[in-house]
Amino acid sequence: MNKDDVYILAIESSCDDTSAAVLHNDKVLSNVVAGQEIHEEYGGVVPELASRAHQQNIVPVVHQALSKANIDKKQLSAIAFTRGPGLMGSLLVGTSFAKSLSLGLNIPLIEVNHMQAHILAHFIKEPETSMPEFPFLAMTISGGHTQIVKVNSHFDMEVIGETLDDAVGEAFDKSAKILGLPYPGGPLIDQYAKEGNPKAFSFPKPKVKDLNFSFSGFKTAVLYFIQKQTKENPKFIEENLNDICASIQHVIIDILIDKLKKASKQTGIKQIAIGGGVSANSGIRKTMKDCEKRFGWKSYIPKFEYTTDNAAMIGIVGYYKFLNDDFADIKTTAKARFAIDHA
Ligand code: KG4
Ligand code: ZN
């Protein structure tokens, strides 16, 4: 098998984005993402609607990825797909599609853990970003996960801290919902926060032991605060939206950075990466850069398009697995729960 010239077609369908990418070795030739606006009106992802939309999107998205990369499917070396974790109905679409295409083209199939992919996204070769050195710490912050992972090598990962309840993306999205903003509210909070005062309002930080997180109390604190304020002034949200968003974002970032500082101290590791949808947040991106000066860290922040769900990150894991001859059996099945350290 030629390992100098590897072409991977990658497919991601774990939640509400249908994505396909083509990689040549560790370089991305195309990365097409079709989002699903249908969930906006429901205030969150509706699993049944997500899997239906994946069914509709997958063929055109794969076609577009191949044509943008300007390659023929006969040139492909292997097909990588997200096996889990994620919504079962969504995962099944990508899994079945990848299995059928691998059979049809008679090329190997590679299964990928979505959360490993958020971390290994840092190994996509790009002119403007550098790759972390092992061992490094990776904080995965998304709509479904919040973990601190010690990354010893591409495939040796140890979870050293995680959320005991809500994920940080949920803290953003649920706070946004309380403010009457549509789903997903994380990017909107980020946008309004840019014009606001982060010290305008204060919210309590949870007291959680070790390197673990908790965000359910935070969301309740935001709810009670808004209920109290709007009782006194029904226009409170409207008149203070920027300041409320800036204050919410400020506390969430503080909670994340506190744990990263603790993890860095405990492990002695100063190479710190972030990954997952919430790493698109401009406040966390800026704070990570500031931490380089404050604590002597070398921080790694993915290129914007590799933060939220995308198939390019699935493709880079596919490439490294291809080099290791780590192929999946055609009988493989989607896995809604899939631990990062058992992938
Ligand atoms: O990784 P991702 O695309 O999907 C999951 O695997 O969950 O992450 C989606 C999460 C959502 O909660 C979304 O609100 C959040 O990432 N997010 C942001 C921003 N962009 C996306 N949160 C805060 N600020 C942003 N700019
Ligand atoms: Zn994700």
Side-chain angles (χ1 to χ4, degrees), residues 14-15 17 114-115 118 141-144 169-170 172-173 183-187 190 276-278 280-282 307-309:
S14 65
C15 190
D17 292 302
H114 179 90
M115 297 312 294
H118 271 304
I141 41 181
S142 75
E170 287 179 276
F172 270 106
D173 296 339
Y183 177 86
D190 188 357
V278 178
N281 182 270
S282 59
T307 53
T308 46
D309 290 347

Side-chain angles (χ1 to χ4, degrees), residues 174-244:
K174 288 179 179 172
S175 299
K177 195 172 178 181
I178 294 167
L179 299 175
L181 301 173
Y183 177 86
L188 293 168
I189 292 198
D190 188 357
Q191 195 181 314
Y192 291 117
K194 284 182 187 148
E195 309 293 326
N197 171 9
K199 300 273 171 67
F201 307 108
S202 64
F203 298 100
K205 288 201 267 177
K207 291 186 181 59
V208 189
K209 275 209 206 138
D210 308 319
L211 297 174
N212 294 328
F213 300 89
S214 167
F215 286 103
S216 66
F218 176 80
K219 165 195 72 193
T220 313
V222 171
L223 178 67
Y224 288 164
F225 170 78
I226 295 296
Q227 280 177 342
K228 183 168 175 286
Q229 297 294 332
T230 46
K231 214 173 196 179
E232 287 163 19
N233 170 13
K235 287 190 162 173
F236 177 76
I237 296 178
E238 212 179 301
E239 288 168 4
N240 297 281
L241 188 59
N242 294 343
D243 285 349
I244 303 169

Side-chain angles (χ1 to χ4, degrees), residues 9-15 17 19 79-88 90-96 98 109-115 117 309-311 313-315 332-335 338:
L9 169 69
I11 291 162
E12 153 65 29
S13 73
S14 65
C15 190
D17 292 302
S19 181
I79 298 177
F81 72 97
T82 306
R83 184 181 181 200
L87 300 170
M88 188 44 104
S90 293
L91 291 166
L92 280 173
V93 178
T95 306
S96 316
L109 186 65
I110 301 172
E111 58 189 39
V112 174
N113 178 300
H114 179 90
M115 297 312 294
D309 290 347
N310 66 89
M313 68 181 193
I314 305 302
T332 186
T333 50
K335 222 173 158 185
F338 193 6

